């Protein structure tokens, strides 16, 4: 994957309008036809946010996005696993997971070892993080431009009658979600 060091000067300079009114990026790929949207169009001339149809898993009742072979990861789409013996994690770079040596981009500030988010820096050193759209709310966006307090939907535990938030594997802590502790994270 290549990364570009080119900085965008203006939204209008990055697109060309054709005679039929559709917009194209100068580099390649069509732009979403929704007004003021600069995302790349997926299907039907619109981006995912504006209604492009995603291919769904072919397993009955599953609403996950198909990853490979028409099914999601839960229903058998093959993913590369870490090449370290006995490791069940998904391989990131070089055939290994992060725990076993896959390189992660670090913050470019001297002395900082946090993972880079946007622009080569971590959130502590200025990477832009979207804030809740409700006036005066400093919380981070979870879904749909709002935080959990202002209406972002969260997945609930799949056990009948439980109203707690699912943490891992569709269940809450009480019903068996095993969360990693800091002691387990060491290789």
């Amino acid at each position: 994957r290549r990364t570009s060091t080119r900085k965008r000067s203006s939204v209008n300079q990055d697109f060309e309008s054709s005679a039929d009114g559709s917009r194209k990026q100068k580099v390649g790929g069509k732009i979403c036809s929704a007004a003021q949207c600069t995302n790349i169009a997926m299907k039907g001339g619109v981006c995912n946010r504006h209604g492009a149809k995603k291919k769904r898993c072919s397993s009955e009742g599953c609403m996950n996005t198909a990853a490979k072979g028409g099914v999601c990861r839960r229903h058998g789409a093959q993913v590369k696993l870490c090449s370290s013996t006995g490791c069940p994690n998904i391989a990131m770079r070089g055939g290994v997971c992060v725990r076993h040596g896959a390189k992660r981009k670090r913050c470019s500030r001297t002395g900082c070892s946090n993972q880079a988010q946007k622009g080569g820096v971590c959130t502590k050193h200025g990477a832009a993080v979207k804030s809740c759209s409700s006036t005066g709310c400093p919380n981070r966006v979870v879904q749909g431009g709002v935080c959990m307090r202002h209406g972002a939907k969260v997945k609930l535990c799949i056990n009948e009658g439980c109203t707690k938030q699912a943490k891992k594997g569709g269940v809450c802590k009480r019903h068996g979600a095993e969360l990693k502790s800091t002691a387990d994270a060491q290789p």
Side-chain angles (χ1 to χ4, degrees):
R1 193 169 111 180
R2 296 176 121 188
T3 56
S4 174
T5 57
R6 176 179 74 92
K7 290 192 177 190
R8 292 187 178 185
S9 55
S10 166
V11 173
N12 294 332
Q13 290 180 354
D14 288 339
F15 307 110
E16 295 175 341
S17 293
S18 62
D20 65 348
S22 65
R23 299 181 300 161
K24 259 192 169 178
Q25 263 187 324
K26 286 185 180 180
V27 178
K30 286 194 173 188
I31 300 302
C32 179
S33 59
Q36 301 294 318
C37 185
T38 58
N39 295 331
I40 295 172
M42 297 301 185
K43 285 187 178 181
V46 291
C47 65
N48 288 336
R49 181 182 285 170
H50 293 107
K53 298 285 183 202
K54 294 179 187 175
K55 195 168 186 176
R56 299 288 178 194
C57 178
S58 59
S59 291
E60 194 175 321
C62 184
M63 292 303 293
N64 293 333
T65 305
K68 201 171 185 184
V71 292
C72 66
R73 288 182 180 168
R74 182 182 286 170
H75 292 109
Q78 295 296 314
V79 290
K80 271 192 173 177
L81 296 178
C82 179
S83 59
S84 272
T85 316
C87 183
N89 296 330
I90 296 171
M92 295 297 172
R93 287 188 183 176
V96 291
C97 66
V98 174
R99 182 182 282 179
H100 292 109
K103 298 283 186 219
R104 289 187 282 184
K105 287 190 177 182
R106 298 287 177 193
C107 181
S108 58
R109 287 283 178 103
T110 53
C112 183
S113 61
N114 293 334
Q115 190 171 348
Q117 300 296 322
K118 284 186 178 179
V121 291
C122 64
T123 51
K124 185 178 178 182
H125 291 112
V129 178
K130 289 185 180 180
S131 296
C132 180
S133 60
S134 293
T135 28
C137 183
N139 296 331
R140 287 184 178 186
V141 167
V142 174
Q143 184 184 30
V146 292
C147 65
M148 288 168 62
R149 179 181 287 166
H150 292 108
K153 292 195 168 122
V154 293
K155 286 190 176 181
L156 298 178
C157 181
I158 58 173
N159 282 337
E160 217 172 297
C162 185
T163 57
K164 295 191 179 220
Q165 182 181 352
K167 296 290 183 188
K168 192 173 181 184
V171 292
C172 64
K173 287 181 191 177
R174 175 187 268 170
H175 293 111
E178 292 179 26
L179 301 176
K180 288 183 181 177
S181 67
T182 53
D184 295 340
Q186 300 297 323

